[in-house]
Amino acid sequence: MAAVATCGTGAGSTGSVVAAGSKNHVTSFQRRGPRASGSDSSYSRLVSIAGTRPSVRNGQLLVSTGLPALDQLLGGGLAVGTVLLIEEDKYNIYSSLLFKYFLAEGIINGHTLLVASAKEDPADILQELPAPLLDDNFKKDFDEEACNHKTAESNIKMKIAWRYQLLPKMEAGPVSSSRFGHYYDASKKMPQELIEASKWHGFFFPEKSSSTLNIEPCSLTHGYIKLLQFIQNIIYEEGFDGSNPQKKQKNILRIGIQNLGSPLWGDDICCTENGNSHSLTKFLYVLRGLLRTSLSACMITMPTHLIQNKAIISRVTNLSDTVVGLESFIGSERETNPLYKDYHGLIHIRQIPRLNNLIYDVSDVKDLAFKLKRKLFTIEGWRGRSFPNLKI
Amino acid sequence: KCPGRLADYASAYVHRRIPGGPGKLTLLCDANTDGSFLVHHFLSFYLKANCKVCFVALIQSFSHYNIVGQKLGVSLTVARECGQLVFLEGLKSSVDVFFRAQAEPHPLQFLREANAENLQPLYEFVREALKPVDDGEAAWRCPVLLVDDLSVLLSLGMGAVAVLDFIHYCRATVCWERKGNIVALVHDSGDTEDEENNILLNGLSHQSHLILRAEGLATGFCRDVHGQLRILWRTPSQPTTQRDQSLTYQYKIQDKSVSFFAKGMSPAVL
């Protein structure tokens, strides 16, 4: 795990995070304990990887999911070395959008991408990525709104760190932006030159399915084995696990896997209740092993609403780090219900990992709704309880 | 009784009950919540008590347990270096086993197999880790096997019976032969109809001397009370003329400790 540990006093010393808040040294934490890649001397390089920041809670290195609102709900972002599982909404509209935000954020930050799909060619997926919002005025207004907001549970130190992060650091082009987490315009496409400048690897299962296996069959489906080998190969070849002495990798590998578990991957858990009950869970376990030992972060979308055997869903949840469920109102009786008219669906934070800690940050707001409006995907605390609507 | 450090009290109970007798099997269980704080507690408890510990850590990395351990006052790195702790890091080992054929039997080699029958290599690993030291003087107190967690073995293709057999063999060696203790975590999958997991949980419940069950609150999330802990003392070998004792407390997990209080007595309420 790319953990950034403190000496002795634990992650409570957030004061040092704020104090050393200069551009190049986000934290003055001392590194302790075994780490995924590189030697002691590469520590300062680790912390200053573009698009990452240490968590104020436990020093864990975080990347943005591409949705600042979601980052905040997850305690700051997605921890490097972990899996974010998105339970797809019924028609895979919004989960697909979150998937694209995740990849777009990778391109903006200069991360290496690994896009895996059994349905769409990764090259096509990249063409469909949303464009980053560069409208300075719009962003400034949005940020001020977010800064003024106070949650019931606000930790003072957290607020300072957040405000620092949200200070507009507008630069000419998006690629050189040093902010953590960007906003995207869902109605426009990512500029071609940014896509071409990015480093990415695609795994399109229909193209790979014919090649032979060089591993003995072990109850994983063919597609999962090939995908694991592909991922492991990239991690090793490009030095994300620090084992290759030729390559000193100072970048993050963002892995995006679409519709995992669907029949297109050769798995039958969405078709029958007595399907192969171990293939997917074994895949997730080995994948997580790869993630924990490399500088990578992974987002998986899964059509859990199609999985017939409920036990599998519970096992999959236990094997993932962060789990977020999307429920869209399309086609449901809620679509015409006036209570829900401002929103497109609900977002459920099902699980947040307790990494390097006994506790985790849990938002007080449990009922969250999302909407895609005026080009932006926003998340709001809904049903306006005793505290004002949390507009993130 | 003020259960400031209740889990310590429960652990001490396990040791006090029958000195010199066979070791105990403690079952940790969580339902609708995360019971990993119990694993961290027992790990630091046994290390501080100078026991030799074999930790089969299947669900998180070494550095995770180490960092939490430091908050609880133990250094896993030091314990491992001086031989007190044998640590099987499941996630990292799984990558080695899966992608590279191993020359010798590996405790997790069932990952490579299509239909692994049993967990014998894993048992051999545990037995080797906790075997008595040759040089007469006992450097450490009783051996302890800690597993986090057993439910994940089901997700990796092993049947409930194979896992129960594994624990059975470990009990024979660790509890009976070596007078040590076993602590294992199993998830309670509730109403998700996970048959295999239910078999495992019920089977182990019957064999355990002490069951600590962490449950999420029925009323939902609460900031000041994270859950409820049920402690059940059992005497599996005796007929139930003597009623099993049980206690229930509510708890709140903090950065470096867990505080327990009687139901409805959370400091936030009083």
Side-chain angles (χ1 to χ4, degrees), chain B residues 4 12 23 26 38 40 55 58 82 99 102 141 144 165 170 178 181 190 193-194 207 225 244 247 255 268:
Chain B
T26 300
L38 293 168
H40 292 296
F55 187 8
L58 298 173
C82 70
F99 293 104
Q102 304 286 306
R141 289 174 64 192
V144 175
D165 280 349
C170 288
R178 305 272 345 268
N181 295 310
E193 299 153 18
D194 191 338
Q207 295 178 39
V225 179
D244 292 339
L247 280 172
D255 191 38

Coordinates of all heavy atoms in Angstrom, one line a residue, chain B residues 4 12 23 26 38 40 55 58 82 99 102 141 144 165 170 178 181 190 193-194 207 225 244 247 255 268:
Chain B
G4 N -14.4 -0.7 30.8 CA -13.5 0.3 30.0 C -12.7 -0.5 29.0 O -12.7 0.0 27.8
A12 N -8.9 -11.9 28.9 CA -8.3 -12.5 30.2 C -9.1 -13.6 30.7 O -8.6 -14.6 31.2 CB -8.2 -11.3 31.2
G23 N -6.1 -25.1 25.0 CA -6.4 -23.7 24.6 C -7.8 -23.5 24.1 O -8.6 -24.5 23.9
T26 N -11.7 -18.8 20.0 CA -12.6 -17.6 20.1 C -13.1 -17.2 18.7 O -12.3 -17.1 17.8 CB -11.8 -16.4 20.7 OG1 -11.3 -16.8 22.0 CG2 -12.6 -15.2 20.8
L38 N -12.0 -5.8 16.4 CA -11.7 -6.9 17.3 C -10.4 -7.6 16.9 O -9.7 -8.1 17.8 CB -12.9 -7.9 17.3 CG -14.2 -7.3 17.8 CD1 -15.4 -8.2 17.5 CD2 -14.1 -7.1 19.3
H40 N -7.8 -6.3 15.4 CA -6.7 -5.5 15.8 C -6.5 -5.6 17.3 O -5.3 -5.6 17.8 CB -7.0 -4.0 15.4 CG -7.0 -3.7 14.0 ND1 -5.9 -3.9 13.2 CD2 -8.0 -3.3 13.1 CE1 -6.2 -3.6 11.9 NE2 -7.4 -3.2 11.9
F55 N -0.3 -15.0 12.3 CA -1.4 -14.2 11.8 C -1.6 -14.5 10.3 O -0.8 -14.2 9.5 CB -1.1 -12.8 12.0 CG -2.3 -11.8 11.7 CD1 -3.6 -12.3 11.4 CD2 -2.1 -10.5 11.7 CE1 -4.6 -11.5 11.2 CE2 -3.2 -9.6 11.5 CZ -4.4 -10.1 11.2
L58 N -5.6 -12.3 5.5 CA -6.1 -12.5 4.2 C -6.7 -11.3 3.5 O -6.9 -11.2 2.3 CB -7.1 -13.6 4.1 CG -6.6 -15.0 4.5 CD1 -7.7 -16.0 4.6 CD2 -5.5 -15.5 3.5
C82 N 11.8 -10.2 15.3 CA 12.4 -11.0 16.4 C 11.8 -12.4 16.5 O 12.0 -13.1 17.5 CB 12.4 -10.3 17.7 SG 10.7 -10.1 18.4
F99 N 0.6 -15.8 -10.4 CA 1.2 -15.5 -11.6 C 2.5 -16.3 -11.8 O 3.0 -16.4 -12.9 CB 1.6 -14.0 -11.7 CG 0.3 -13.2 -11.8 CD1 -0.1 -12.5 -10.8 CD2 -0.4 -13.1 -13.0 CE1 -1.3 -11.7 -10.9 CE2 -1.5 -12.4 -13.1 CZ -2.0 -11.6 -12.0
Q102 N 5.0 -22.1 -8.3 CA 5.9 -22.2 -7.1 C 6.6 -23.5 -7.1 O 6.0 -24.5 -7.4 CB 5.0 -22.0 -5.8 CG 4.2 -20.7 -5.8 CD 5.1 -19.5 -5.5 OE1 5.8 -19.5 -4.6 NE2 5.0 -18.5 -6.4
R141 N 5.2 -17.1 25.3 CA 4.1 -17.8 26.0 C 3.3 -18.6 24.9 O 3.7 -18.7 23.8 CB 3.3 -16.9 26.8 CG 4.0 -16.3 28.0 CD 3.3 -15.3 28.7 NE 2.0 -15.8 29.2 CZ 1.1 -15.0 29.7 NH1 1.2 -13.7 29.6 NH2 -0.1 -15.5 30.2
V144 N -0.5 -18.6 19.4 CA -1.8 -18.1 19.0 C -2.0 -18.1 17.5 O -1.1 -17.7 16.8 CB -2.1 -16.7 19.6 CG1 -3.4 -16.2 19.1 CG2 -2.0 -16.7 21.1
D165 N -12.7 -28.1 8.3 CA -11.7 -29.1 8.5 C -10.3 -28.5 8.9 O -9.6 -28.9 9.8 CB -11.4 -29.9 7.2 CG -12.5 -31.0 7.1 OD1 -13.2 -31.3 8.1 OD2 -12.6 -31.6 6.0
C170 N -6.2 -27.3 12.9 CA -5.5 -26.3 13.7 C -5.8 -26.5 15.2 O -4.9 -26.3 16.0 CB -5.9 -24.9 13.2 SG -5.2 -24.5 11.6
R178 N -0.5 -27.9 21.6 CA 0.4 -26.9 22.1 C -0.3 -26.0 23.2 O 0.4 -25.0 23.6 CB 0.8 -26.0 20.9 CG 1.5 -26.7 19.7 CD 3.0 -26.9 19.9 NE 3.6 -26.0 20.9 CZ 4.1 -24.8 20.6 NH1 4.0 -24.3 19.4 NH2 4.6 -24.1 21.6
N181 N -4.1 -20.8 21.6 CA -5.5 -20.3 21.4 C -5.6 -20.0 19.9 O -4.7 -19.7 19.2 CB -5.7 -19.0 22.1 CG -5.8 -19.2 23.6 OD1 -6.5 -20.1 24.1 ND2 -5.0 -18.4 24.4
G190 N -26.0 -12.6 7.2 CA -27.4 -12.2 7.4 C -28.4 -12.9 6.5 O -28.3 -14.1 6.3
E193 N -28.6 -15.1 2.1 CA -28.7 -16.5 1.7 C -27.3 -17.1 1.2 O -27.3 -17.8 0.2 CB -29.7 -16.6 0.5 CG -31.1 -16.2 0.8 CD -31.8 -15.7 -0.4 OE1 -31.4 -16.0 -1.5 OE2 -32.8 -15.0 -0.2
D194 N -26.3 -16.8 2.0 CA -25.0 -17.4 1.7 C -24.9 -18.7 2.5 O -24.5 -18.7 3.6 CB -23.9 -16.4 2.1 CG -22.6 -16.8 1.6 OD1 -22.4 -18.0 1.3 OD2 -21.7 -15.9 1.4
Q207 N -18.3 -24.9 18.1 CA -17.0 -25.3 18.6 C -16.4 -24.3 19.5 O -15.3 -24.6 20.1 CB -16.1 -25.6 17.5 CG -16.4 -26.7 16.6 CD -15.4 -26.7 15.5 OE1 -14.2 -26.5 15.7 NE2 -15.8 -27.0 14.2
V225 N -22.7 5.9 18.8 CA -22.7 4.5 19.1 C -22.5 3.8 17.8 O -23.3 3.8 16.9 CB -24.0 4.0 19.7 CG1 -24.0 2.5 20.0 CG2 -24.3 4.8 21.0
D244 N -25.1 -20.9 29.1 CA -24.1 -20.1 28.6 C -24.3 -18.6 29.0 O -25.5 -18.2 29.0 CB -24.2 -20.1 27.0 CG -23.8 -21.5 26.5 OD1 -23.1 -22.2 27.2 OD2 -24.2 -21.8 25.4
L247 N -23.3 -11.3 27.6 CA -23.4 -9.9 27.9 C -23.5 -9.1 26.7 O -22.9 -9.5 25.6 CB -22.1 -9.5 28.7 CG -22.0 -9.8 30.2 CD1 -20.6 -9.5 30.7 CD2 -23.0 -9.0 31.0
D255 N -10.0 6.7 17.7 CA -8.7 6.6 16.9 C -7.8 5.5 17.5 O -7.2 4.8 16.7 CB -8.0 8.0 16.9 CG -6.9 8.0 15.9 OD1 -7.0 7.4 14.8 OD2 -5.9 8.6 16.3
A268 N -22.8 10.3 25.2 CA -23.4 11.4 24.4 C -24.9 11.5 24.9 O -25.5 12.6 24.7 CB -23.4 11.0 22.9

